[in-house]
Amino acid sequence: MKKISLFVSFMSLLFAGAVNAHGPVRGKLTASVTINASAEQVWDVIKNYDDMSWHPSIKSTTADKGNKKGSVRVLTLANGGTITEEMKAYKANKMSYKYKIIDMSTTGTVHHAGQDEPIPVLPVENYAATLSVKDKGGKSVVTWVATYYRGYVNNNPPAELNEEAADKAVTAVLTDGLASLAQKFDASASSSDVKIKLKR
Amino acid sequence: MMKKIITAFSLALWLTADAYAESYAFITNQLDDNVSVLDLNQQRVIEKIAVTGKPAGVAVNQPMRRVYISTPQGGGFAVLDSENLQLIETVEVGGASLGIAVDRLGERVFVADWYENTVDTFDTASLSHIKKIQVGRSPSGMIVSPDNRWLYVANRMDDSISQIDLSTLKIRNTTKVGEHPFGLTVSSDGRRIYSANVESDDVTVLRPDHLKRVATVKVGSRPYAVALALNDSRLFVTNQDDSSVSVIDTETLEQIAEIEVGEKPEGISTHPDDRQVYVANWFDGTVSVIDAKTLEVTETIVAGEGSRAFGEFIIK
């Protein structure tokens, strides 16, 4: 884990190339879904930082300071992994909050360029996200925006820690979460109702 | 006759004043692969210049009316004409260029290469390569002293700052600062150098002689870059993870305010009026304008996706 935190520090500032060239670029993935319910009703389901039960991949959630800035929550995933996140801002009046990942468990390692590189449960670095709900003519639009770098800091990442792996994993987390949230209000909702926009 | 001369004279004056009053900010939009040109009189984007290679860093060449844009994915930098607002040329450098700076006479441009641990020097007239200087690991922010004698380089992975002698293009001195120094600035008298240290959440204040550390000032989370305003009396620091700008009184060297701006604030530069401070917000794709006197955000201008603007991005 020590190594991971070192990665986090290094990763956070890299702007250099992608895919075939010179290191990572921060990606910005926006997922959104329109739900046929009032913004207040939807916000009511997701507003508590210590309750991620609306997300199918998350088994349990604890947070040390509720919805306060700086509150640290630990998400335990269905597969047993954990993600630790820190609350960066909470705006009840705007129905939004943002947080960043400060620690993660790993699923194993990949041997690459002479080293064993740990693979975090979410193969990303310096991940921050904002979750918000807005009213749109009586319906609500839930938007979940994540920014992150790929999991490998140097040139030529292994497949497990490249941009594609990061994008795929984050897309799955956001899509599953929003689809499941939409289903609470409309049983026919599905992941195809979640719009994804990736910029890198 | 006399009247005509006076009219002509006042017209000339008016034209001069108008030309002088034209100030632009060049905001690199990394996710859009372009540069937004912000007219600072109108406070709006008047042009977008396509620059491929994930444009990140900016440096302005005031005398030559040029703007240099580092393109980390393009392995070099782009040269823009700051009057016609057009891309003139692109220059290959090497691995991943990020930090970029120009000397005070506009004669040389310096490009820091993230992976090669070098600073490449180019002649601004011919754009020919002058020299490659080995520096510390992951060189990032750079700034030239007002007397044009020194180039300061933040060696991010070495937690240090190097002072390069511009007459010899050799390192004269290197000093440890906070963890992962990134953006740098220098006071107009050259007596103070400030570095934003991303990992230790603070700003290191240095004196140029022997690069002596004067102070370390705590700021917000993951500070990125720094800018001075109001006759160097206030230092503004972008805190990426707090979506805020810390304001430091440079006399007492204490934080006196924290101003909420857009999300992931990164690049920061001061208007020629020395009062308005411009902040590029990466996440929001906006520019926040801060009044350095009232410490309030007076405008928020949409720029593009992934607005980074790392370096000195305002030309007058």
Side-chain angles (χ1 to χ4, degrees):
Chain A
M1 210 54 232
K2 179 89 191 280
K3 194 159 186 187
I4 298 256
S5 56
L6 283 176
F7 277 178
V8 173
S9 35
F10 186 44
M11 293 294 303
S12 62
L13 288 164
L14 286 179
F15 311 149
V19 194
N20 57 356
H22 302 285
V25 161
R26 182 159 61 198
K28 181 179 184 182
L29 202 147
T30 305
S32 60
V33 69
T34 301
I35 298 176
N36 196 4
S38 73
E40 287 75 18
Q41 281 175 297
V42 176
W43 175 240
D44 205 48
V45 176
I46 59 173
K47 69 182 178 188
N48 288 319
Y49 187 60
D50 61 1
D51 180 7
M52 280 284 279
S53 61
W54 52 273
H55 197 296
S57 310
I58 295 163
K59 203 168 63 184
S60 66
T61 311
T62 60
D64 66 350
K65 285 191 249 78
N67 292 335
K68 290 199 178 70
K69 186 182 173 181
S71 183
V72 173
R73 75 177 174 191
V74 179
L75 309 174
T76 303
L77 309 180
N79 65 12
T82 58
I83 298 177
T84 308
E85 298 174 332
E86 182 189 331
M87 170 79 83
K88 295 306 293 180
Y90 190 90
K91 291 176 183 164
N93 58 342
K94 287 188 173 172
M95 295 189 278
S96 94
Y97 71 80
K98 67 175 172 177
Y99 59 94
K100 67 173 183 178
I101 292 178
I102 54 173
D103 204 359
M104 276 189 276
S105 64
T106 59
T107 60
T109 58
V110 53
H111 195 73
H112 183 74
Q115 289 209 44
D116 283 328
E117 302 292 345
I119 304 169
V121 284
L122 198 60
V124 296
E125 290 297 351
N126 198 22
Y127 177 102
T130 302
L131 183 63
S132 61
V133 187
K134 274 203 171 80
D135 170 72
K136 195 179 174 186
K139 295 183 179 183
S140 57
V141 177
V142 187
T143 308
W144 199 352
V145 189
T147 63
Y148 53 90
Y149 290 86
R150 75 177 185 214
Y152 188 72
V153 58
N154 295 315
N155 279 340
N156 308 316
E160 293 84 349
L161 296 170
N162 65 12
E163 268 87 2
E164 288 79 2
D167 295 343
K168 196 176 155 209
V170 176
T171 301
V173 170
L174 271 50
T175 305
D176 293 351
L178 291 187
S180 184
L181 179 62
Q183 276 160 11
K184 289 188 184 299
F185 298 92
D186 175 1
S188 69
S190 76
S191 56
S192 59
D193 296 321
V194 179
K195 287 190 196 113
I196 295 285
K197 189 178 100 181
L198 171 68
K199 291 212 104 177
R200 180 186 293 288
Chain B
M1 176 67 191
M2 195 57 202
K3 187 161 179 211
K4 208 167 186 179
I5 289 177
I6 290 171
T7 310
F9 184 65
S10 43
L11 182 68
L13 258 185
W14 178 78
L15 280 173
T16 314
D18 190 56
Y20 188 76
E22 226 160 59
S23 290
Y24 295 139
F26 292 82
I27 307 296
T28 54
N29 300 314
Q30 203 165 22
L31 300 178
D32 277 347
D33 269 330
N34 66 23
V35 174
S36 286
V37 183
L38 207 64
D39 182 316
L40 303 191
N41 293 323
Q42 305 177 48
Q43 301 282 41
R44 66 181 187 92
V45 173
I46 56 162
E47 188 71 60
K48 286 191 180 182
I49 306 169
V51 176
T52 54
K54 304 294 163 197
V58 194
V60 295
N61 186 335
Q62 196 74 44
M64 282 181 67
R65 317 302 298 162
R66 294 284 183 270
V67 179
Y68 307 101
I69 306 290
S70 70
T71 53
Q73 214 176 92
F77 65 97
V79 185
L80 311 182
D81 182 320
S82 72
E83 282 173 353
N84 298 331
L85 306 183
Q86 281 172 355
L87 174 76
I88 301 174
E89 200 162 348
T90 57
V91 180
E92 285 283 318
V93 181
S97 58
L98 173 63
I100 191 159
V102 186
D103 73 15
R104 301 283 171 165
L105 302 175
E107 292 172 345
R108 288 180 287 186
V109 58
F110 307 97
V111 186
D113 197 304
W114 190 267
Y115 285 117
E116 308 292 326
N117 303 333
T118 52
V119 171
D120 284 281
T121 310
F122 290 85
D123 179 276
T124 53
S126 63
L127 293 175
S128 58
H129 189 259
I130 299 173
K131 193 182 170 186
K132 189 181 279 294
I133 310 163
Q134 281 293 329
V135 293
R137 289 184 298 152
S138 299
S140 307
M142 293 188 292
I143 189 90
V144 174
S145 66
D147 61 8
N148 213 37
R149 286 182 67 194
W150 317 111
L151 170 71
Y152 298 102
V153 182
N155 304 304
R156 200 181 55 86
M157 287 296 280
D158 281 346
D159 302 336
S160 70
I161 287 175
S162 291
Q163 181 183 39
I164 292 169
D165 186 332
L166 287 185
S167 61
T168 60
L169 295 180
K170 283 182 179 150
I171 293 175
R172 180 213 196 204
N173 208 341
T174 297
T175 293
K176 285 277 177 193
V177 292
E179 291 168 45
H180 291 195
F182 203 67
L184 300 181
T185 194
V186 61
S187 61
S188 48
D189 64 2
R191 302 291 301 154
R192 285 246 181 108
I193 302 120
Y194 300 92
S195 75
N197 309 315
V198 181
E199 283 292 307
S200 49
D201 296 343
D202 52 25
V203 167
T204 302
V205 188
L206 295 176
R207 280 204 336 231
D209 38 320
H210 309 294
L211 288 186
K212 189 177 158 40
R213 278 186 300 274
V214 177
T216 302
V217 186
K218 272 282 166 203
V219 291
S221 186
R222 299 186 87 78
Y224 187 89
V226 280
L228 288 155
L230 299 182
N231 204 17
D232 292 347
S233 66
R234 284 174 174 173
L235 181 78
F236 294 79
V237 189
T238 49
N239 301 312
Q240 291 176 85
D241 278 5
D242 283 339
S243 305
S244 69
V245 168
S246 288
V247 187
I248 293 168
D249 179 327
T250 57
E251 190 78 36
T252 61
L253 291 175
E254 277 169 14
Q255 179 170 314
I256 54 168
E258 189 177 347
I259 303 164
E260 191 177 327
V261 291
E263 291 202 30
K264 296 268 180 213
E266 299 196 335
I268 183 164
S269 274
T270 305
H271 190 286
D273 69 8
D274 198 34
R275 175 164 174 177
Q276 297 180 83
V277 179
Y278 288 70
V279 178
N281 304 304
W282 188 91
F283 186 95
D284 289 354
T286 57
V287 172
S288 302
V289 185
I290 295 170
D291 182 331
K293 223 168 242 177
T294 64
L295 302 180
E296 278 167 3
V297 173
T298 55
E299 297 259 6
T300 302
I301 304 155
V302 174
E305 285 273 2
S307 304
R308 187 143 252 165
F310 179 51
E312 295 203 304
F313 57 76
I314 294 178
I315 198 159
K316 60 181 181 233

